[in-house]
Amino acid sequence: MMAQAQKLFQIFKAGTHKAMSGVSLDFSERDLQMTAAAFSPASRPAPLVLGHPKDDQPAYGQVRGLFVKDGDLFAQAVVDAALETLVKTGRYRYISASFISPFASDNPTPGAYYLKHVGFLGAHPPAVRGMTPPAFAERSDALCFCEGNDCSASFGASVEFAEGDGLRPERWALHALALDYQRVCPALSYVEAISRAETVIF
């Protein structure tokens, strides 16, 4: 079985966007919150794919959850090692989400846009501009408490957790994933990041 990593990345944002059909649609933050609340990977999964295949195949991972922060829609997902490599090497640098229309016959939650899949794009940029591209960088496991961006300032030292500090493995994984979430979405507080990470780990 191919190794998978748990990742967080932005897939969409509020605003007026032009669909592939050429139609411009308005998405409010409330629309995105409804999409996040409606998403159920158990009843209708959303795979990670290359491009926008009609049959959503082959899958390179699966979205586990969605949440909205400051008008941006984020996906929590398990990512196959093959896709992680394609992103890290720059072959697939952009993301484009595909949604099922609110009143389409195949929408499992009529009334809300439902995530169909998340497409990773190569040279062709997505229609939604200004999103943070996926990085899939190695995460930093240090939790620093210091003023400003320089850990040498004010307190003179950082307080860090190390993997051997007695945290149970599952708590360590939760802490490390929360830090990764904060790196991708700096607007998340540590408590919010832990809460989001818990939905994937536990």
Side-chain angles (χ1 to χ4, degrees):
M1 184 177 177
M2 190 172 294
Q4 294 184 317
Q6 296 172 350
K7 297 292 180 182
L8 175 76
F9 43 90
Q10 185 182 1
I11 64 168
F12 203 68
K13 67 178 185 177
T16 301
H17 308 300
K18 185 176 287 188
M20 290 175 65
S21 63
V23 176
S24 291
L25 298 169
D26 293 322
F27 291 85
S28 66
E29 183 163 349
R30 175 71 180 138
D31 291 327
L32 300 188
Q33 289 169 344
M34 289 174 63
T35 293
F39 183 67
S40 173
S43 61
R44 208 309 184 167
L48 309 181
V49 296
L50 301 182
H52 284 298
K54 289 184 179 179
D55 62 356
D56 300 332
Q57 295 295 325
Y60 289 85
Q62 295 288 334
V63 175
R64 291 283 181 85
L66 300 172
F67 73 89
V68 180
K69 187 70 177 179
D70 295 343
D72 295 329
L73 180 64
F74 292 87
Q76 297 166 255
V78 289
V79 181
D80 287 356
L83 178 58
E84 192 173 1
T85 298
L86 290 172
V87 170
K88 285 181 177 179
T89 57
R91 292 184 61 191
Y92 285 84
R93 298 174 294 164
Y94 305 110
I95 284 180
S96 178
S98 177
F99 299 96
I100 301 172
S101 297
F103 299 104
S105 59
D106 59 340
N107 188 321
T109 58
Y113 286 95
Y114 193 90
L115 182 66
K116 184 176 187 288
H117 65 237
V118 176
F120 284 73
L121 309 179
H124 186 70
V128 179
R129 307 292 176 145
M131 292 198 304
T132 303
F136 293 176
E138 298 303 320
R139 70 178 133 204
S140 169
D141 294 334
L143 177 61
C144 297
F145 297 92
C146 42
E147 292 183 4
N149 295 324
D150 183 5
C151 278
S152 64
S154 295
F155 296 152
S158 64
V159 178
E160 300 180 357
F161 292 153
E163 196 158 358
D165 283 351
L167 289 176
R168 295 190 317 272
E170 65 272 14
R171 298 309 298 179
W172 176 255
L174 180 64
H175 160 71
L177 189 58
L179 293 184
D180 193 38
Y181 282 16
Q182 284 189 297
R183 180 186 56 77
V184 175
C185 181
L188 282 177
S189 69
Y190 183 72
V191 172
E192 288 175 313
I194 283 286
S195 176
R196 294 296 176 188
E198 282 179 331
T199 66
V200 175
I201 291 182
F202 299 117

